[in-house]
Each structure stands twice: as structure tokens, then as C-alpha cells.
Amino acid sequence: MTPFWTRLAAAAAIASLAGTAVAQECADTQIRLSYGSPIASDWTKWVEAFKAEVEDKSEGRISIRAYSDRQLFSGSPKAEIDGVLDGIADATLTSTLLVALFLDNRFDLINMPFLVPSHEVAARVVDGEIGTIMEGWAREKGLEPIGWGVNGFRQLTNKSKKVKTPADMKGMKIRVAGSKLFIRAVGLLGADPITMSFSELYPALQQGVVEGQENPLSEIETSSFYNVQDYVAIWNYVYDPLILLMNEATFAGMCEGDQQILRDAAVVARDTQRAIAVEADKTMPELLRTERGMTVTPFEEVDFEAFREIVYPTIRKEWAPIVGEENLEKLEAAVAAE
């Protein structure tokens, strides 16, 4: 006869295995994903690619219910981030600019002005150690980073004139996103930075309250800014990536296989959107010129180094205590790498 203690140990082992099997069971899940851009946007292309991949690989067990324009949160990016933390939504695809504003200002690291010159360099930076560092910051705040996307390089439009050098911006009233980093950067160029909500921007441009604004080309097109702006300068002054952040408890409650499905799908969505963004940056200037009537100053005609020399050293000095000197050095090394 098998000794009692041996039988007890075996029973405990079986129970443990059974408990593990239950814990690892992959349940049907609906993920409520909020994002802050209209249906006709590059953000939606990311969401669509992610949704299709998740639902295919999970054979429909995981469904993605997407809410554009932050409709769950009355358009408020702060409420959206807070809402994911509180479980009102399960995930948000949002800009690092907004994460820096409303969650952790260390995310300003990736938005350093006049540092990242191209999509190729930007992808290398985000996919490397800098991306990993920022993902750690998100976890510290209670959000699980799932993957990255592209909002794009923020370009300059205005009503008055071509912008090629810093001198061209003297005294110009420019609407900037509400980031202290952006306000400081544009102010260093001698312009007058003004903040307002995005919903107020179009009428402000139309009425001449501000002369210009900065946003990715896709946003300039989608928001029809060409109707109230005559000039666009491709100056690549800030690279603005997207990040998919998920409620920590929701993610932890999913089985490992489903967690991996989400991460793999985010890579597919990232690569899909990056290809779209790179192509758009090649074709959008011509569309804005020929079909929208804007005067386009290409990157090759903009004195990027002159802008950088005025802005970056001061911003670097002032933001090093915020984002970390060591992190800045890692960022600069990643940008400079061949």
C-alpha cells in the first residue's frame, strides 16, 4: 500500500496542477479601447489592424470594441487616461505628448524638439532601450504598455509666409499643444506660443486669433486646416509616437496566451501604421500643394540645424532634471547610432 504521506503529496500535486489549469484558462474577453482621433484618421488604421489581428488569432474569443474621438470621456484626454486607470475603459491608444501631460512628465523624453530627424531614426529609438524605459514608467503608474504606434512628426502651418529659418517665426502667434515643453520650444524661436483645446483650434485659425499651429500632416489634412492656412513647413520639430496602454488588472486577468496575442497584434498594427506614415509623408506634401492649394516648404529647404541650435541646448538643460540626464544621453546615442 502506498504510504499515506505519499498519497497526500500526490493529491496536493494534482490539485495544484488543476488550479494552474484553471488559472491559465483563456476566457472570452471584450476590450473597450478608447482613442482620441476621428474615424477617418491614421489612428483608426492602427486600431483596425490591431482589432483584426487580435480577433483572428484568438478565433473571436477576444473582441475589440473601439471608441474614436474619446467619446466615452467627452473628448477629454485626461479623463481618458484616468478612465483606463479606473477601469471605465480597458485600454487607450494615445500620444506620448498626452501621457507626459496627464500621467508622467518623464514621457517628454521622446518629444525632445529638433532631435529626431526621420522615421527611420524614430523607429530605432522607440523600439530600443528608450521605449523599454518608457514602458517601465507606465507600469509604475499602474498601466500596462502593450505596443507602439505613430502619430508622426509635428509640422508647422501658418497663414502668413514660408518658414525656413528661426527668423521667419519672430512674433508669430502659434497654437501649440498644452505641453510646457512645446510652449518653451516655440517661445525660444521668438514666436508667441498660445495654448487652447484642439476643438477650439479651427475657429481660432479661421478668425485670426492665432496665425499658425503644429500637428502631423495627417491631422492637417483630416482637420481641413488647409482651408484656413496657406503655408506648411516640413520641419520635423517633434516626433510624437502613440502608445497602447491597458488597465493593469484587466491585462493581468488574461491568460498568458491572450496577453501574447495582444502584444503580437500591437506589433502588426505598429508596422502597418508605420508604413502608412512613411508613405504619407512622401505623398501628403504634394497633395496639400496640388489639391489643397497650400505652399509647401520641404524638409530639405528648412534649416533644421539652425532651429536645433537655438532650441535643443536650452531645452536639454531645463528638462534633464525631469526626464533624467542618463536617459537623455541614451536617447542622443540612439539617435546618433548608424
Side-chain angles (χ1 to χ4, degrees), residues 112-266:
M112 287 287 114
F114 299 110
L115 182 63
V116 178
S118 68
H119 281 286
E120 180 183 11
V121 172
R124 182 172 69 229
V125 169
V126 172
D127 294 346
E129 187 177 8
I130 297 301
T132 301
I133 289 169
M134 292 189 291
E135 289 167 4
W137 294 338
R139 291 189 181 98
E140 288 176 16
K141 298 295 183 177
L143 293 172
E144 181 62 30
I146 306 300
W148 294 90
V150 182
N151 195 25
F153 284 98
R154 302 182 73 89
Q155 314 296 8
L156 179 71
T157 69
N158 79 91
K159 183 71 175 175
S160 313
K161 59 185 176 181
K162 282 187 173 184
V163 172
K164 294 184 176 182
T165 70
D168 296 325
M169 295 189 64
K170 297 292 184 183
M172 192 181 291
K173 292 183 179 180
I174 302 294
R175 183 270 181 183
V176 299
S179 163
K180 292 180 181 179
L181 177 69
F182 290 15
I183 294 168
R184 180 64 168 141
V186 170
L188 285 168
L189 293 170
D192 182 8
I194 297 172
T195 62
M196 64 183 66
S197 70
F198 188 79
S199 62
E200 298 174 306
L201 177 54
Y202 190 96
L205 292 168
Q206 192 173 40
Q207 296 160 18
V209 175
V210 290
E211 295 173 66
Q213 62 85 46
E214 46 79 35
N215 260 297
L217 290 178
S218 59
E219 196 68 62
I220 293 166
E221 164 65 13
T222 303
S223 300
S224 302
F225 288 149
Y226 49 80
N227 288 327
V228 289
Q229 298 279 268
D230 295 327
Y231 298 88
V232 56
I234 312 300
W235 66 342
N236 289 9
Y237 106 107
V238 165
Y239 180 72
D240 187 14
L242 302 176
I243 185 169
L244 181 67
L245 298 171
M246 192 165 177
N247 178 277
E248 184 179 54
T250 300
F251 183 78
M254 300 177 71
C255 71
E256 290 184 10
D258 283 358
Q259 290 176 350
Q260 193 59 48
I261 285 175
L262 295 185
R263 295 197 189 282
D264 292 344

Side-chain angles (χ1 to χ4, degrees), residues 102-115:
F102 300 123
L103 184 71
D104 189 328
N105 56 17
R106 289 176 294 179
F107 275 83
D108 273 338
L109 176 67
I110 193 61
N111 297 133
M112 287 287 114
F114 299 110
L115 182 63

